[in-house]
Amino acid sequence: MDLCVFGVDDGYAEAIIRGLRASFLTEAQYQQMKNCASIPELKSFLEETDYQNCLQADNPQIPTSILRQRLKKKLADEFEYIEAQSTGTLTKYLFHLRCRFMIDNVVNMIEGLKNKIDIEILLSNIDPLGWFPEIKNIKVLEGDDYSSLYRDVLIDTPIGVYFMKFLEESIENLHENRTLNDIQNLFREMKPEYIRTSLKKMWLEDFYSFCESELMPTSQEALLELLKFEADFKTVQVIYNSIGNRDLNTAAKIITTRKQLCPTIGNLYPDCEKVYLQAMTLDALREAVKGCDNYRDLLKDAPDPLKREEFNVQTKTLDDIMYDDECRRYALSFDGQGSYGVFYAYLKLKEQEIRNIIWLAEMISRKLAKNHPGWKKIIIPFSHLGK
Amino acid sequence: MQRSQEMSFYQLVMPRESAWAVMDQLGYMGKAEIVDHDPSIPLIARPFANYIKRCDDLLNKLNLLVETAQKLSILKHYTITTKTNHKMCPQIHTHQYLDLLEEQINAKVNSFIEQNRNHEQLLEQQTIINDQLDILQECRMYLGEDFFVSRDSKIDYFIGTLKQEEIQQFQRMVFRVTKGNAFVHIKLQNQKALYIVIFPDQGVILKKKLQKVQESISLNRFTLPLNLKEFDKIQNDLTVKHKEIKQLIELTNVQLNSSIQELLKQNDGIRLLDHYNMYISKEKALYMQLNKLKMQGNLFLGELWIPKKDSAQLNETLLLVKERNRDIPGCQISQKVPNTTPPTYFVLNEFTSVFQQIVNTYGIARYREINPAIFTIITFPFLFGIMFGDIGHGFCLLMFGIYNIFYKFEPFYELRYLILLMGFFSFYCGWIYNDFVSLSLNLFGSCYVVDGQMTPNKQHDCTYPFGLDPAWGDNLEFDDSFKMKLSVIIAYFHMFLGICLSGCNLIYKKDTYGFCCKFLPQILFLTSTIGYMDFLIIFKWVKQFNPNDAPSIINTMITMVLSFGSVEGPSMWNVNSQELIQAILIIIAVISIPWMWFSHIIKGYSIYKRKRNTIVKNSGQSIEGSQVIELQIQSILDETQQEKSLLQIHDHNELSADEEFTELIVHETIETIEFVLGVISNTASYLRLWALSLAHSQLADVFYSLILSNSITEGSIIGALLRYPIWALVSFGVLMCMDTMECFLHSLRLHWVEFQNKFYKGDGIEFKVYSL
C-alpha cells in the first residue's frame, strides 16, 4: 500500500538520489585512478568525474586531508539539498542519519581538545555532514568535565539526548556512595573512543526504534534489516577489539564494558548475548555467532586479534571484511524501490567511495609499487552486483 | 542542399613540430572534420590534455577576475565573449604565444587578486572600527555617563558583536554558563548584533568560561574603557584610524580600477581582455582537435572528412603552412578509401537552416540521400496554414515574422523565416476560406441571397472571384465537406511526393530492381485507391449533378472495393465505363501488393541459394584430406592478416545465411503490411488538417459570439470597448499562442510520420566542421 503513495511526498527526493547514482565511479575509473602517478594527476582525473567542481579551486598538489574535506563537502552539499527537498518523516529520517556524523564530530572535537590541538584546526577538520552551529562552542570544555560540557553546550543540540543518556549510564555504573571525585576520575580515565562507541550505540538503538515506529512498512523492512546487520557488526567489532585488550585487565571488567557497548538490537541480541559476552578468543567468538547467517564465514577470514602486532598493510582486517559485506548489502538496498533505504545506502556507499579515493591518494602519494597489495584494498560500490 | 555534399576522406601525416601550425590553419579554413581515432580514450590520456587544462585554468582565472571586478562594480555591462572571430584573432602565431599570454595573464590576474585581497582586508578593518565605534556609543548610551565616572568593581562587562542568527544561542550559552547570573543586552545594528554582557565578578573560573563562550561565538570582541578619559581617547583614535583607512580604501579602489582599465584597453579594435579570452578559447578548441589525432612516435596521424569541392583548398592551405614555416618539416596528405560511412553535410544559409533543423530533429539524412528539408520549406508552412487559416490571425503571425526579421526578438529569432512563411500561408488560406476572425468578408459581392435557402441573386454563371463565397460563411456542413475533401487531396499529393522521392533515391543508387519492385507497385497502389478517390472528388466538384441523384463518393468507393468495381445507385458518368475503370483499378491495387511483397524475397532467395551452394562446395573441398594440407601450407604463405579477415567473412556468412533470409522475409512482410495499411491510415491521418482548421474557426467563432457580438449588434460602443480587451486577450492566448503551437506540432507530425516514412532513412552522421 505504501508503495502507491510513496511518490507523493518523497518521490522527488528519491528521484534525485536515483539520478546521483550515475555519479559513482566505475571500476574502469578506479583502474585509471590506480594508474595515476602523482597527486596532481589524480586530481586532474577527478576533475573529469563528478567531483569536478569541488576541486577546481585547489592547487594541484592537494594534501589528502583537504582532498577528503572537499569530497565530503560535496557529499554534504548533495545531502543538504535532498534534505531541503524533503518533507515530514523523510526530513526527520534524514536528520537522524546526520546525527551519526555529529557524534563523530563532537567526539573528534573532544579528543582534539584533550590533546591540546588548536580549535581552528579542529574546526577545519570536522565532517561537513555532521556540522551543526553549536559545534564551535565545545571549546568551553574544561579538562574532562563532560557533564558541564553537556550542561553548557550539548544540551540543546540534536545529540544532547544521547550524551545525557551516556552520562547517566556512566555515573550509574559507579558504586553506590560515589563522590564528585569519583566521577571526575571516571571522566578523566574515559577514552574518547569509548565515548564514541557508546554514543553511536545509543544512536543506533534510537534510530532503530525510530525506523520501527515511524516509517512505512516497505522502508521499515529494508532499513531494519540493514540496521540489524550494522548492530551485529558493531557487536562483533566490540567483542573482537576487546579480545586481548590490555586496558581491560579483568574478565569482569571486559564483560561489563562489552555489555555497555554492544547494541541491544540485531540478530545476535538477545539470543547469543550470554555467549558472546564471555568470548575471550577469536574461536570463542566464532562459536558464539555461528548460529547467524554468514557471520561465521566473515569471521573465518579475520586475523586473530591476539596477534595484532603482526598485522601489516596486507592483512585484510575485520573492518575490511565487514565493509566489503556491508557494501554489498547497501548496493542491493540502493536498488530497492519505494523505501528510505536508498538514502541510507547512498550515504554509506558515497562514504565508501570517498574512503577509496583517499586510500588511493595515500597510496599514490607514498609512491608505492604497483604490485603492492594495498592497491587491491578498495571496495568498489556496486561491483558486487555484476557478479 | 538536395543531397549531402560529396565528401572525401584524407589521411594526414605530420611530424610533431608542425602539427600545431597545420591544425591552426585547418581550423581557420573551417571546412574539414577531424575524425577522432578512438572516442573511448578519456581526455586525460590524450597527448594534449595538459594544454587543455592550462587553457581551462586561464579561462577560469579570467572569469574570476571579471567576476570580482563586477562584484566591486568597477566593471559593468561586460560579458565574456568566448566566440572566436576569424578576423579578430591574430592569424599567424606560433604556439609559444600561449606561454607568453599565460605569463601575462597570470601576472595580471595575480596582481589584481592581491590588490583585491588588500582591499578586502581594509574593508574588514573598517567594519571592525565601525563596530567598535558603534558599541562604544551604545555602551555610553546604555550604561550611562555615570558608569564611567564611578565604576562598580563587583560587576564585570564583556562587549562585542555577533551575527544576528546566533543571538539566541549566545544568550542561552551565557545563561547556562553563569547559571542565570548574567544580563545580556543586545542591540541590532547593520545586520549585526552588538552585545553587552553584564555579570558579577565572582572569580576567575566564571570569567574564563564566559570568555570562551565569547570567543567561540562573537565576531569581534572589544574591551570596555575604564573611565571617560580613556573612552574619549579611544574614540578619537578610532575616528582618526577610520579616516586613514577610508583613504587607503579609496587608493586601492583607484588601483583596481586602473588595472581593469588596462585590460580594457583597445588594441587593434579589440579589448585586451577579449583578445585574451578569444585566443585562449581558440587555442583550447585547437588542442581538442589535436587530441583526436593518433600519435605514433614523433608522427601524428589524422583522418579528416572534407567536402569534395573544397579539397583543392585543403592542398592550398597545407602549401601555405609549408611556405610560412620553412624551418619545420611539412606534412603529407593522401586521399584514402574511407572505412566508415561519410558524414552528411548540407550547405545551409540562415533561411534554410531552420527547416533543416526540423528534419534533423527526426534524424540526420543518410549520406547522399534526398534531403526532405528542401520540400519542407514550402510544405511545412503550407500544411500549417491549412490548419491555421484565418485572415486576421494569419496577418498577425505574418507581421510578427516580418518584425522579427528586421528587429531581433531573441526568443523567436532563430525561427523568424519559419514564422514568416507560416504567417504568409495562414494568411493566404484565410483568404481561401474567407475567414476573418470567424467573420466572412464580402468584398466582391456575394453571388447568393441568404433567405433560409441559398438562392442565386445574380445571373447564373456568377462566381465569387477569390476564395469562398461569403454566403457559405456560417454553413458548417459546407465547410466540413470542403475541408475534409481538401485534406484528402493534399494527403494524396503529399504522400505521392514522398514515394516519388523514394523512387529518386532508388534511381540515384542505380537500383533498377528496387525501382521496379518497390517504387512502381507502391505508386500504383496509392494512385489506384486514394488517387481514384481524389479524382472522384474533383470530378464531382466540376460536374453538375441534380441534387436528388448525385452519386455519393463514399458509397462508390465502398461498393467498388466490396463488389469488384460495380456501381450501385447513380453513377458518376457512363455506368459501363466507370465499372470497367474501377475493376481495372482494383486489379492493379490487388496485384501491386504481392508485387512489392515477394519481389525482394524472391531475389533474396536466389542469393541465399547461391550462398548455400558455395558454402557446401567449400566444405566439400576441405573434407578432402590432401587439400587440407595444401590449404594449410598456402595459408602460411599467405599474409596472415588477409587470411584472418577472409575467415571472418566466411564464418559470418555461414552463421547468418539462414538468419539473414528469414530476417528478409520478416522485414519485407512488415514493410508491405505497413505500406498497405499506411496508405489508408495515413490518409486518415491527414484529416487532422480538417479537424484543426475546423477547431480554429470554431474557437474563433465561439469567442466572437460569446464576448463581442452581443454588444456590437446592440450597438453599445462602451460595452464593445469594455469587452474588446477580454476578447483580444483570449484570442491571443488561445488562438495565437496555443493554437499556433498545436498546428505546428501537427504539421510536424505529418512531415515526420506520414511524409518521411515513405522514403527517409534518417540514420546518417552529422558533419561537424572544425572551425576556429
Side-chain angles (χ1 to χ4, degrees), chain A residues 32 41 43-45 47-48 56 133-134 136-137 139-142 148 151-153 155-156, chain B residues 42-44 53 57 60 163 166 169 172-173 176-177 179 205 208-209 212-213 215-217:
Chain A
Q32 283 171 1
E41 208 170 304
K43 182 178 172 270
S44 59
F45 170 79
E47 280 174 16
E48 295 285 301
Q56 246 164 15
E134 291 89 353
K136 55 185 174 181
N137 302 346
K139 203 180 172 184
V140 181
L141 175 70
E142 295 270 350
S148 75
R151 218 171 39 231
D152 293 343
V153 185
I155 185 161
D156 54 14
Chain B
L43 177 64
I44 190 158
K53 211 170 153 0
D57 283 350
N60 278 343
K163 285 188 205 147
E166 282 175 337
Q169 197 192 330
R172 272 192 231 167
M173 285 283 288
R176 285 198 296 258
V177 168
K179 301 189 175 63
I205 298 173
K208 215 170 151 191
K209 261 197 170 174
K212 276 194 172 173
V213 172
E215 270 171 26
S216 66
I217 296 183

Side-chain angles (χ1 to χ4, degrees), chain A residues 314-328:
Chain A
Q314 296 184 34
T315 323
K316 201 169 181 196
T317 61
L318 182 68
D319 288 359
D320 292 331
I321 296 166
M322 284 184 167
Y323 277 143
D324 196 49
D325 194 58
E326 271 185 310
C327 206
R328 185 176 60 82

Side-chain angles (χ1 to χ4, degrees), chain B residues 679-690:
Chain B
V679 164
I680 313 299
S681 67
N682 289 356
T683 312
S685 188
Y686 276 91
L687 288 176
R688 71 186 69 232
L689 292 175
W690 157 51

Side-chain angles (χ1 to χ4, degrees), chain B residues 139-290:
Chain B
C139 285
R140 198 159 183 171
M141 290 242 301
Y142 187 70
L143 301 173
E145 297 276 337
D146 300 347
F147 167 78
F148 294 99
V149 183
S150 59
R151 192 168 168 156
D152 192 344
S153 62
K154 276 186 191 141
I155 293 174
D156 216 338
Y157 301 85
F158 277 141
I159 57 174
T161 52
L162 74 160
K163 285 188 205 147
Q164 282 195 359
E165 61 267 25
E166 282 175 337
I167 294 174
Q168 283 218 331
Q169 197 192 330
F170 181 69
Q171 279 173 326
R172 272 192 231 167
M173 285 283 288
V174 170
F175 181 86
R176 285 198 296 258
V177 168
T178 60
K179 301 189 175 63
N181 285 326
F183 180 77
V184 183
H185 169 71
I186 297 276
K187 193 189 177 210
L188 302 180
Q189 199 162 21
N190 312 335
Q191 279 106 47
K192 275 183 206 155
L194 310 174
Y195 66 81
I196 305 171
V197 185
I198 307 167
F199 62 97
D201 193 1
Q202 279 174 338
V204 196
I205 298 173
L206 182 65
K207 197 169 174 180
K208 215 170 151 191
K209 261 197 170 174
L210 260 181
Q211 207 168 349
K212 276 194 172 173
V213 172
Q214 200 192 2
E215 270 171 26
S216 66
I217 296 183
S218 58
L219 287 173
N220 289 309
R221 291 171 297 135
F222 306 105
T223 44
L224 194 61
L226 293 172
N227 49 46
L228 266 182
K229 216 172 168 184
E230 204 179 330
F231 186 96
D232 289 336
K233 193 177 158 237
I234 291 177
Q235 205 166 16
N236 282 335
D237 281 358
L238 285 176
T239 354
V240 172
K241 224 172 161 186
H242 188 240
K243 261 185 203 156
E244 273 173 22
I245 281 181
K246 218 172 174 183
Q247 273 176 350
L248 272 174
I249 287 174
E250 269 166 26
L251 207 73
T252 40
N253 249 335
V254 171
Q255 273 177 357
L256 283 171
N257 229 332
S258 71
S259 52
I260 283 289
Q261 287 310 324
E262 199 183 324
L263 278 174
L264 291 181
K265 228 171 21 191
Q266 300 265 336
N267 189 4
D268 299 335
I270 337 165
R271 287 183 289 195
L272 198 57
L273 197 56
D274 286 340
H275 172 72
Y276 285 161
N277 256 319
M278 280 193 275
Y279 187 78
I280 291 164
S281 328
K282 178 219 122 183
E283 207 69 348
K284 188 182 161 193
L286 196 153
Y287 282 117
M288 293 270 232
Q289 297 293 332
L290 268 174

